[in-house]
Amino acid sequence: MTELQFREIINKSIESQLNFRNHWKPFTTDSSLVIEQQKAESILASLEERLQNNYPFFHPSYAGQMIKPPHPIAIAAYVMAMQINPNNHALDGGPPTAAMEMEVVEQIAEMFGYTEHLGHLTSSGTIANLEALWVARSIHPNKSIAFSSNAHYTHKRMCEVIQSSSKEIDLSNLELLESELRKGTIGTIVVTIGTTGTGAVEPLHKILPLAKRYGVRVHADCAYGGFFMLLANDNDPIVSPEPFLSIKECDSIVIDPHKHGLQPYGCGCVLFKDINVGKFYKHDSPYTYFTSKELHLGEISLECSRAGASAAALWATLQAFPLKSNTGLGTILKKTRRAALKWSELVSSSSSLIELARPDLDIVIFLPRIDPFSASHVSSITEKIFSTGMNQSDSPVYLATYTVDSSFIANLHPTFIPDSPVTKVLRSVLMKPEHEQFVPELFRKISAIAESLI
Ligand SMILES: *Cc1c(COP(=O)(O)O)cnc(C)c1O
C-alpha cells in the first residue's frame, strides 16, 4: 500500500466520525475543552521530535525484537472506532464492536480447530495467560502449574498473583515429565508454541497424551507462534505440523494478535475448550450450565474496560487478511518463515557465524564463530556485532542480543567452553514479509561485521 492510499484510508476513517455525529443535533464544544490550533500543532511537533528516538520497527533492516507497526487497515479501523470509543467490557458499551469481537474470536477458535469455545480478546498475552491460569487453578486448587524454563517469564509471576504453586520442568524430557506427573502434584502444564526467546515450539503432541493419562490440564501459550497454525495443514508444511495440529486438544489457548496478527498493542486473546468454565467468572450463579451464546465478554473477562477499537481493528484486518494458508495472513507468515529458513541456511554455511539451533518459526539465534570458542569471548564479540550493526552510519542493521545458559550451547556444540554460566548470543526476529527478500543483504552486512571483529 502506497503512502497516498494510506493517507486516504486514514482520512476516510476520520471523516466517518462526522457522518456518525451528523445523526444527532449539533452543539457547541464547551470552552474548557478548546485548544488553539497553533498550540495543538506545536504540541504535536514536540511529540514528533521526541518520537524520533525510536528504532525503525517498520523497516526490514530492523530484525531485533518482536515489534512491527500495525497494518494500515488496522490503524484506520482502530482510529475509526476509537473516535466513538466503545468499551467492550459489556454489550451496552458498544454492541457493534462487541459483535465484531465475537466474530474474530470465533475465527481464531476455528483456526485452531476448536468446535466450541468460550473466549474473548484481552489487553495482552499476559492478561490472557493470567485468565487461563486462574481458571486452571480454580479447577485444580491445590496443585502446581508447571512450565519449562523457556516459558514466558510472566507465568511464574502470575502464579504468584493467583497464589498457585508453580514448578519449572523440562518439557523435552518426557520420562522426567511422566515421573513428575505420576506424583499427582501437578494440575496444569503450560506448553509454549513459539517461545519468546528463540521461537521454539515445545512438543505438545507428545506432552498431551501423558497429561491426559494423569488427568492434568494443558494450556497452550501460543502468544507468539499461534498464527503459524495457518501453515500446519499444508500438504508440504514449512513448520512441523504435529504440535500445531494438537493445539485443539488443549484446555485453553492464548494468542496475541498484536504480535503476528498485524494489530496495534492492546490485543491478546484467550480461548477455553470447555465453555462451562464460565462458571468461574459468574459469581452469582456458580452452578449454571452456560452455552457459549449466553455469556459474553464483560461477564467472562477478568478485565473491565477494554478498547472496542481493538476488536474493530482486528475484524477489519481479518476481512482483508483472512486466516487462510494460501492467502491473507498465511501468505505473510510463510514469507517470515522462509526468511528464517534462508537466514538459518546462510548462517550455517558462514565462516564467521554459527547458528545455535534450527529455527522452529521465524526467530533465528546465532553466535560468532570464534577462537577461543568460550562463553565470555562469544558474549563480548556478540555485543560488538550488535552495537556495530546498529551504529553503522550508512544503512544500519538492528538485531537483538539474547542470553542463554552456557550449558545449553555446550550440549549442542561440543567444542564450546562454558567459562561463564550464561552466554550472550545474537537474535533476529524476521517477522516482516519483506524480510524474505532482505535476508541476503542482512546476512552480508552482519557477516562482514563479524569477520572484521574476529
Ligand atoms: C509475548 C508473549 C507473552 C506475553 O504477552 P504480552 O502480550 O507481551 O503481554 C506470553 N507468552 C509468550 C510465549 C509470548 O511470546
Side-chain angles (χ1 to χ4, degrees), residues 227-249:
F227 287 109
F228 286 93
M229 177 73 210
L230 294 171
L231 313 186
N233 283 307
D234 287 356
N235 284 335
D236 193 10
I238 52 171
V239 293
S240 284
E242 294 86 357
F244 288 97
L245 298 177
S246 49
I247 294 173
K248 61 173 183 288
E249 317 277 329

Side-chain angles (χ1 to χ4, degrees), residues 146-152 155 168-174 189-196 198-208 218-222 240-247 250 360-361:
F147 38 81
S148 79
S149 62
N150 298 318
H152 199 264
H155 288 292
E168 201 176 287
I169 198 163
D170 179 358
L171 292 177
S172 65
N173 185 336
L174 297 174
I189 307 174
V190 177
V191 181
T192 308
I193 303 296
T195 59
T196 318
T198 69
V201 175
E202 295 184 327
L204 178 61
H205 54 299
K206 294 182 184 158
I207 296 165
L208 267 164
V218 177
H219 169 61
D221 181 0
C222 313
S240 284
E242 294 86 357
F244 288 97
L245 298 177
S246 49
I247 294 173
C250 295
D360 286 343
L361 301 177

Side-chain angles (χ1 to χ4, degrees), residues 20-66:
F20 179 71
R21 293 196 172 203
N22 280 341
H23 295 312
W24 290 272
K25 224 168 148 176
F27 65 96
T28 317
T29 302
D30 189 78
S31 61
S32 61
L33 293 168
V34 173
I35 49 173
E36 282 163 16
Q37 181 76 10
Q38 210 183 354
K39 184 161 184 193
E41 282 175 16
S42 113
I43 291 168
L44 291 180
S46 317
L47 174 62
E48 183 178 347
E49 198 181 315
R50 293 186 70 157
L51 289 174
Q52 298 311 303
N53 191 22
N54 266 302
Y55 295 118
F57 305 128
F58 72 99
H59 199 275
S61 66
Y62 182 86
Q65 306 291 352
M66 31 179 76

Side-chain angles (χ1 to χ4, degrees), residues 18 36 39 43-45 61 68 72 84 92 119 125 178 190 192 217 222 246 248 347 358 397 427 454:
L18 300 176
E36 282 163 16
K39 184 161 184 193
I43 291 168
L44 291 180
S61 66
K68 63 176 178 180
I84 297 169
D92 61 2
E178 179 155 20
V190 177
T192 308
R217 277 179 80 79
C222 313
S246 49
K248 61 173 183 288
V347 167
R358 296 295 286 174
V397 190
R427 170 172 179 261
I454 61 183

Side-chain angles (χ1 to χ4, degrees), residues 17 53 62 64 73 99 107 110 138 166 186 198 206 217 272 278 319 321 326 355 359-360 417 438:
Q17 182 60 8
N53 191 22
Y62 182 86
I73 191 79
Q107 289 168 39
E110 270 174 21
S138 304
S166 63
I186 291 173
T198 69
K206 294 182 184 158
R217 277 179 80 79
F272 294 97
Q319 294 290 307
F321 299 95
N326 288 321
E355 126 184 287
D360 286 343
I417 306 156
F438 202 77

Side-chain angles (χ1 to χ4, degrees), residues 66 123-127 129 151-152 154-155 192-196 221-225 254 256 258-259 265 267-268:
M66 31 179 76
S123 307
S124 69
T126 302
I127 296 295
N129 278 320
H152 199 264
T154 51
H155 288 292
T192 308
I193 303 296
T195 59
T196 318
D221 181 0
C222 313
Y224 187 73
V254 158
D256 259 356
H258 68 203
K259 282 190 181 134
Y265 286 120
C267 195

